[in-house]
Amino acid sequence: MEDNFSNYFSETGKVAREYVETRLDLIKLQAAGKLSKALGLFFSLIMAFLLFFFVVVFLGMVVGFWIGEMTNSYTIGFSCAAGFFIVLLALLLLFRKSLIQRPLANLLAAELVEEIEEMDERREEKKAAKQAQND
């Protein structure tokens, strides 16, 4: 009788340990999935900004050379291009909330809402599967 109890408790302990280890592995995998999505979004935004930066730099050079050719003075051409970019920077600083901060916040919020909805759907599927097993 005592062997049965000790065997039962040792087996239960093993099963509980395996369950905890499996649960920890699942949590680690879920965290890795969320981290990979966040990093993917981050790096895609960085690449988009870098591409935009290079486009702006080359367009500035084109405008500077074009105005320089028109005025026969590259100094005036590049000064006008620099002035244009200073005005553009001032406008960007003035309207940064509506042009940068709000769209990025909305994008992040949409990603989080999508993740929460996916978690809710998985939870509902698990409940439905459990209920189907019980029936």
Side-chain angles (χ1 to χ4, degrees):
M1 182 90 167
E2 285 182 24
D3 282 340
N4 287 342
F5 278 125
S6 65
N7 194 17
Y8 172 76
F9 285 121
S10 67
E11 288 297 318
T12 303
K14 287 179 187 176
V15 170
R17 230 178 284 117
E18 288 176 9
Y19 173 76
V20 169
E21 289 173 2
T22 304
R23 188 73 178 155
L24 286 174
D25 289 341
L26 178 63
I27 290 170
K28 288 177 188 176
L29 288 172
Q30 287 175 339
K34 290 176 185 176
L35 180 64
S36 67
K37 276 187 177 180
L39 285 176
L41 178 64
F42 175 73
F43 283 120
S44 65
L45 286 174
I46 292 294
M47 293 303 291
F49 284 128
L50 279 173
L51 182 63
F52 179 72
F53 171 76
F54 283 119
V55 167
V56 168
V57 166
F58 286 115
L59 282 177
M61 290 173 61
V62 166
V63 169
F65 279 117
W66 180 68
I67 294 174
E69 286 287 325
M70 301 294 273
T71 62
N72 290 327
S73 172
Y74 289 121
T75 305
I76 293 173
F78 281 98
S79 296
C80 289
F84 171 73
F85 285 119
I86 289 171
V87 169
L88 193 63
L89 176 66
L91 289 173
L92 193 64
L93 289 176
L94 283 174
F95 299 109
R96 71 180 174 270
K97 283 188 179 179
S98 61
L99 292 176
I100 297 171
Q101 290 175 348
R102 285 189 191 128
L104 284 177
N106 290 339
L107 181 66
L108 182 60
E111 286 292 323
L112 290 174
V113 166
E114 182 180 320
E115 182 69 29
I116 290 170
E117 288 175 351
E118 286 177 8
M119 287 174 49
D120 288 344
E121 287 176 8
R122 280 186 253 144
R123 195 173 297 133
E124 291 297 323
E125 288 173 1
K126 285 180 184 179
K127 280 183 184 178
K130 260 188 187 177
Q131 196 169 20
Q133 283 180 343
N134 291 338
D135 291 341

